């Protein structure tokens, strides 16, 4: 952070002496054509968080071919007569982002479907329900202050631009943690000034691209999910503790999915995410996959089966849910139904 402040100071000196801006774009920019390192067949990318679901999908695939790239396995083939590539994300935001970018670099991916298990942060939902959120957000991108007063690192309340950062005042703070937006650069926005800061009497650029709060799923994919919601829900397996206590899972078209590096086992923070961010589920991967997909202009959607109420006391349904394989089979059913409908919309 100190290095950024120093660069801004030196930029101000350079501006005063030579008229140069703090961050300048090169005059001649050459856009590289995408080169898919492994396979250039247009495919739908499937990323699973757990191996059992991937195994179920691969069992139904034809023309399978396996690639090992930097130790990660990618399987190509056809599913529901659709060319696909499937892999596992690995746990954590970083692993998921790396895997998604690797898929985008090595395969010509026309869309990404991410599927896995998540904790519920909506107390109205049940273990086994599948959430399809409209957008994904990572609230661990924060300005962590000493007090609950709005940060004023650059002179005025809410201004932290001299640090290369931007708060989103529409997201309520959690104590002394103030949500900040994420800087995203891609092939269409890279020349846009995303953030400026005041140096002397001039607004100088400190970031290009755009500043984003969350990452919405693709509209066509969302509409395809709505089309398969009712029929697929009717075909989902029930979750049973015993022969007398069974629950029929629902497919929920939710508002927001939440992702972060921490495993959430805290009731107060869960309530904040649900009430202040309209979150329905929480995991440790999906928002990073959504950001990488957005940066690569790849349509994206995610399906998350709920394993528990984050931060709650132990639910006896959880053990039955994991041990039965119902989650994996239900997720695979939804993925297969979605692929059929997505093909119709192309």
């Amino acid at each position: 952070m100190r290095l950024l402040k120093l660069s801004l100071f030196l930029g101000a000196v350079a501006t005063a002496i030579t008229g140069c801006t703090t961050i300048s774009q090169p005059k001649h920019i050459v856009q590289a054509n995408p080169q898919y390192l492994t396979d250039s067949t247009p495919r739908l990318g499937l990323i699973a968080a757990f191996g059992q679901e991937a195994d179920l999908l691969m069992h139904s695939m034809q023309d399978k071919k396996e690639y090992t790239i930097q130790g990660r396995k990618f399987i190509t083939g056809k599913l529901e007569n659709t060319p696909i590539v499937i892999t596992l994300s690995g746990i954590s935001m970083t692993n998921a982002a790396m895997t998604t970018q690797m898929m985008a670099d090595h395969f010509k991916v026309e869309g990404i479907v991410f599927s896995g298990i998540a904790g519920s942060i909506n107390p109205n939902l049940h273990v086994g329900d599948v959430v399809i959120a409209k957008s994904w957000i990572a609230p661990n991108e924060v300005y962590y202050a000493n007090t609950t007063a709005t940060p004023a690192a650059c002179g005025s309340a809410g201004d932290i631009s001299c640090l290369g950062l931007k708060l989103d005042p529409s997201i309520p703070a959690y104590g002394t943690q103030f949500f900040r937006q994420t800087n995203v650069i891609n092939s269409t926005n890279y020349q846009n000034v995303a953030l400026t800061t005041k140096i002397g009497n001039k607004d100088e650029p400190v970031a290009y691209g755009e500043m984003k709060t969350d990452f919405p799923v693709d509209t066509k994919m969302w509409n395809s999910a709505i089309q398969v919601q009712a029929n697929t829900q009717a075909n989902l397996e029930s979750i049973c503790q015993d022969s007398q206590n069974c629950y029929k899972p629902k497919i929920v078209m939710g508002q927001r999915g939440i992702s972060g590096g921490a495993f959430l086992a805290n009731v107060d923070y869960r309530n904040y995410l649900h009430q202040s961010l309209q979150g329905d589920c929480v995991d440790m991967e999906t928002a990073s996959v959504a950001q990488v997909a957005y940066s690569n202009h790849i349509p994206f959607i995610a399906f998350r089966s709920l394993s528990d109420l984050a931060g709650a006391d132990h639910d006896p349904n959880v053990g039955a849910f994991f041990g039965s394989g119902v989650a994996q089979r239900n997720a695979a059913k939804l993925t297969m139904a979605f692929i059929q409908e997505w093909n119709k919309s192309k």
Side-chain angles (χ1 to χ4, degrees), residues 22-41:
T22 306
I23 298 178
S24 60
Q25 292 279 45
K27 292 181 179 179
H28 302 291
I29 299 173
V30 177
Q31 281 280 17
N33 292 323
Q35 301 292 322
Y36 303 103
L37 301 177
T38 298
D39 183 285
S40 60
T41 302

mmCIF file of all heavy atoms in Angstrom, residues 22-41:
data_model
loop_
_atom_site.group_PDB
_atom_site.id
_atom_site.type_symbol
_atom_site.label_atom_id
_atom_site.label_comp_id
_atom_site.label_asym_id
_atom_site.label_seq_id
_atom_site.Cartn_x
_atom_site.Cartn_y
_atom_site.Cartn_z
ATOM 1 N N THR A 22 -0.634 10.062 -13.968
ATOM 2 C CA THR A 22 -0.132 9.068 -13.033
ATOM 3 C C THR A 22 -0.005 7.706 -13.674
ATOM 4 O O THR A 22 0.982 7.016 -13.533
ATOM 5 C CB THR A 22 -1.075 8.980 -11.815
ATOM 6 O OG1 THR A 22 -1.227 10.282 -11.268
ATOM 7 C CG2 THR A 22 -0.515 8.065 -10.762
ATOM 8 N N ILE A 23 -1.063 7.253 -14.387
ATOM 9 C CA ILE A 23 -1.039 5.998 -15.122
ATOM 10 C C ILE A 23 -1.382 6.309 -16.567
ATOM 11 O O ILE A 23 -2.434 6.876 -16.847
ATOM 12 C CB ILE A 23 -2.061 4.988 -14.560
ATOM 13 C CG1 ILE A 23 -1.724 4.641 -13.109
ATOM 14 C CG2 ILE A 23 -2.115 3.729 -15.403
ATOM 15 C CD1 ILE A 23 -2.709 3.705 -12.470
ATOM 16 N N SER A 24 -0.514 5.972 -17.470
ATOM 17 C CA SER A 24 -0.775 6.270 -18.872
ATOM 18 C C SER A 24 -0.930 4.990 -19.659
ATOM 19 O O SER A 24 -0.321 3.970 -19.348
ATOM 20 C CB SER A 24 0.367 7.095 -19.468
ATOM 21 O OG SER A 24 1.573 6.385 -19.386
ATOM 22 N N GLN A 25 -1.780 5.033 -20.696
ATOM 23 C CA GLN A 25 -1.968 3.909 -21.593
ATOM 24 C C GLN A 25 -0.992 4.029 -22.767
ATOM 25 O O GLN A 25 -0.715 5.124 -23.237
ATOM 26 C CB GLN A 25 -3.401 3.896 -22.146
ATOM 27 C CG GLN A 25 -4.456 3.587 -21.084
ATOM 28 C CD GLN A 25 -4.552 2.097 -20.817
ATOM 29 O OE1 GLN A 25 -3.548 1.411 -20.675
ATOM 30 N NE2 GLN A 25 -5.764 1.585 -20.744
ATOM 31 N N PRO A 26 -0.437 2.916 -23.246
ATOM 32 C CA PRO A 26 0.447 2.988 -24.420
ATOM 33 C C PRO A 26 -0.311 3.484 -25.641
ATOM 34 O O PRO A 26 -1.513 3.257 -25.776
ATOM 35 C CB PRO A 26 0.898 1.532 -24.592
ATOM 36 C CG PRO A 26 -0.116 0.714 -23.871
ATOM 37 C CD PRO A 26 -0.591 1.554 -22.726
ATOM 38 N N LYS A 27 0.394 4.182 -26.529
ATOM 39 C CA LYS A 27 -0.261 4.766 -27.704
ATOM 40 C C LYS A 27 -0.669 3.698 -28.701
ATOM 41 O O LYS A 27 -1.682 3.814 -29.375
ATOM 42 C CB LYS A 27 0.676 5.783 -28.365
ATOM 43 C CG LYS A 27 0.914 7.022 -27.514
ATOM 44 C CD LYS A 27 1.824 8.007 -28.224
ATOM 45 C CE LYS A 27 2.046 9.258 -27.385
ATOM 46 N NZ LYS A 27 2.954 10.220 -28.067
ATOM 47 N N HIS A 28 0.116 2.660 -28.839
ATOM 48 C CA HIS A 28 -0.169 1.629 -29.825
ATOM 49 C C HIS A 28 -0.473 0.312 -29.101
ATOM 50 O O HIS A 28 0.405 -0.251 -28.444
ATOM 51 C CB HIS A 28 1.015 1.445 -30.777
ATOM 52 C CG HIS A 28 1.383 2.707 -31.507
ATOM 53 N ND1 HIS A 28 0.584 3.268 -32.471
ATOM 54 C CD2 HIS A 28 2.456 3.522 -31.373
ATOM 55 C CE1 HIS A 28 1.147 4.374 -32.929
ATOM 56 N NE2 HIS A 28 2.287 4.554 -32.266
ATOM 57 N N ILE A 29 -1.719 -0.117 -29.207
ATOM 58 C CA ILE A 29 -2.161 -1.323 -28.517
ATOM 59 C C ILE A 29 -2.537 -2.371 -29.546
ATOM 60 O O ILE A 29 -3.328 -2.113 -30.451
ATOM 61 C CB ILE A 29 -3.369 -1.019 -27.603
ATOM 62 C CG1 ILE A 29 -2.973 0.015 -26.539
ATOM 63 C CG2 ILE A 29 -3.870 -2.299 -26.945
ATOM 64 C CD1 ILE A 29 -4.126 0.508 -25.710
ATOM 65 N N VAL A 30 -1.970 -3.542 -29.434
ATOM 66 C CA VAL A 30 -2.283 -4.646 -30.333
ATOM 67 C C VAL A 30 -3.061 -5.692 -29.544
ATOM 68 O O VAL A 30 -2.581 -6.198 -28.530
ATOM 69 C CB VAL A 30 -1.009 -5.275 -30.924
ATOM 70 C CG1 VAL A 30 -1.378 -6.465 -31.809
ATOM 71 C CG2 VAL A 30 -0.214 -4.234 -31.703
ATOM 72 N N GLN A 31 -4.291 -5.996 -29.993
ATOM 73 C CA GLN A 31 -5.097 -7.018 -29.351
ATOM 74 C C GLN A 31 -4.689 -8.394 -29.867
ATOM 75 O O GLN A 31 -4.708 -8.639 -31.069
ATOM 76 C CB GLN A 31 -6.595 -6.787 -29.643
ATOM 77 C CG GLN A 31 -7.214 -5.699 -28.791
ATOM 78 C CD GLN A 31 -7.564 -6.212 -27.396
ATOM 79 O OE1 GLN A 31 -7.082 -7.242 -26.955
ATOM 80 N NE2 GLN A 31 -8.385 -5.461 -26.702
ATOM 81 N N ALA A 32 -4.296 -9.273 -28.975
ATOM 82 C CA ALA A 32 -3.917 -10.627 -29.373
ATOM 83 C C ALA A 32 -5.161 -11.468 -29.620
ATOM 84 O O ALA A 32 -6.147 -11.354 -28.895
ATOM 85 C CB ALA A 32 -3.066 -11.274 -28.281
ATOM 86 N N ASN A 33 -5.134 -12.289 -30.666
ATOM 87 C CA ASN A 33 -6.220 -13.220 -30.910
ATOM 88 C C ASN A 33 -6.116 -14.385 -29.934
ATOM 89 O O ASN A 33 -5.024 -14.857 -29.640
ATOM 90 C CB ASN A 33 -6.159 -13.754 -32.345
ATOM 91 C CG ASN A 33 -6.459 -12.681 -33.359
ATOM 92 O OD1 ASN A 33 -7.310 -11.832 -33.121
ATOM 93 N ND2 ASN A 33 -5.763 -12.703 -34.481
ATOM 94 N N PRO A 34 -7.266 -14.851 -29.393
ATOM 95 C CA PRO A 34 -7.192 -15.957 -28.441
ATOM 96 C C PRO A 34 -6.669 -17.229 -29.086
ATOM 97 O O PRO A 34 -7.086 -17.611 -30.173
ATOM 98 C CB PRO A 34 -8.655 -16.130 -27.992
ATOM 99 C CG PRO A 34 -9.463 -15.525 -29.094
ATOM 100 C CD PRO A 34 -8.638 -14.408 -29.636
ATOM 101 N N GLN A 35 -5.742 -17.855 -28.422
ATOM 102 C CA GLN A 35 -5.190 -19.123 -28.886
ATOM 103 C C GLN A 35 -5.472 -20.162 -27.805
ATOM 104 O O GLN A 35 -4.984 -20.044 -26.686
ATOM 105 C CB GLN A 35 -3.676 -18.994 -29.126
ATOM 106 C CG GLN A 35 -3.291 -17.940 -30.153
ATOM 107 C CD GLN A 35 -3.745 -18.327 -31.561
ATOM 108 O OE1 GLN A 35 -3.680 -19.500 -31.937
ATOM 109 N NE2 GLN A 35 -4.194 -17.355 -32.339
ATOM 110 N N TYR A 36 -6.296 -21.148 -28.142
ATOM 111 C CA TYR A 36 -6.648 -22.167 -27.164
ATOM 112 C C TYR A 36 -5.553 -23.228 -27.149
ATOM 113 O O TYR A 36 -5.291 -23.891 -28.145
ATOM 114 C CB TYR A 36 -8.027 -22.733 -27.490
ATOM 115 C CG TYR A 36 -9.048 -21.631 -27.537
ATOM 116 C CD1 TYR A 36 -9.514 -21.149 -28.753
ATOM 117 C CD2 TYR A 36 -9.493 -21.020 -26.363
ATOM 118 C CE1 TYR A 36 -10.420 -20.098 -28.801
ATOM 119 C CE2 TYR A 36 -10.392 -19.970 -26.403
ATOM 120 C CZ TYR A 36 -10.861 -19.510 -27.624
ATOM 121 O OH TYR A 36 -11.747 -18.468 -27.657
ATOM 122 N N LEU A 37 -4.904 -23.398 -26.026
ATOM 123 C CA LEU A 37 -3.666 -24.151 -25.950
ATOM 124 C C LEU A 37 -3.852 -25.652 -26.163
ATOM 125 O O LEU A 37 -2.924 -26.329 -26.592
ATOM 126 C CB LEU A 37 -3.002 -23.902 -24.587
ATOM 127 C CG LEU A 37 -2.659 -22.442 -24.275
ATOM 128 C CD1 LEU A 37 -2.081 -22.333 -22.878
ATOM 129 C CD2 LEU A 37 -1.674 -21.889 -25.301
ATOM 130 N N THR A 38 -5.021 -26.168 -25.861
ATOM 131 C CA THR A 38 -5.225 -27.614 -25.906
ATOM 132 C C THR A 38 -6.269 -28.048 -26.925
ATOM 133 O O THR A 38 -6.065 -29.002 -27.669
ATOM 134 C CB THR A 38 -5.614 -28.135 -24.509
ATOM 135 O OG1 THR A 38 -4.534 -27.873 -23.607
ATOM 136 C CG2 THR A 38 -5.907 -29.623 -24.520
ATOM 137 N N ASP A 39 -7.420 -27.351 -26.993
ATOM 138 C CA ASP A 39 -8.525 -27.812 -27.823
ATOM 139 C C ASP A 39 -9.353 -26.603 -28.248
ATOM 140 O O ASP A 39 -9.753 -25.794 -27.408
ATOM 141 C CB ASP A 39 -9.382 -28.799 -27.027
ATOM 142 C CG ASP A 39 -10.524 -29.383 -27.827
ATOM 143 O OD1 ASP A 39 -11.519 -28.677 -28.049
ATOM 144 O OD2 ASP A 39 -10.425 -30.550 -28.236
ATOM 145 N N SER A 40 -9.620 -26.466 -29.549
ATOM 146 C CA SER A 40 -10.347 -25.295 -30.053
ATOM 147 C C SER A 40 -11.797 -25.597 -30.406
ATOM 148 O O SER A 40 -12.480 -24.759 -31.001
ATOM 149 C CB SER A 40 -9.629 -24.734 -31.293
ATOM 150 O OG SER A 40 -9.567 -25.719 -32.311
ATOM 151 N N THR A 41 -12.303 -26.776 -30.024
ATOM 152 C CA THR A 41 -13.717 -27.099 -30.251
ATOM 153 C C THR A 41 -14.584 -26.284 -29.292
ATOM 154 O O THR A 41 -14.323 -26.281 -28.085
ATOM 155 C CB THR A 41 -13.975 -28.598 -30.004
ATOM 156 O OG1 THR A 41 -13.145 -29.366 -30.872
ATOM 157 C CG2 THR A 41 -15.433 -28.948 -30.251
#
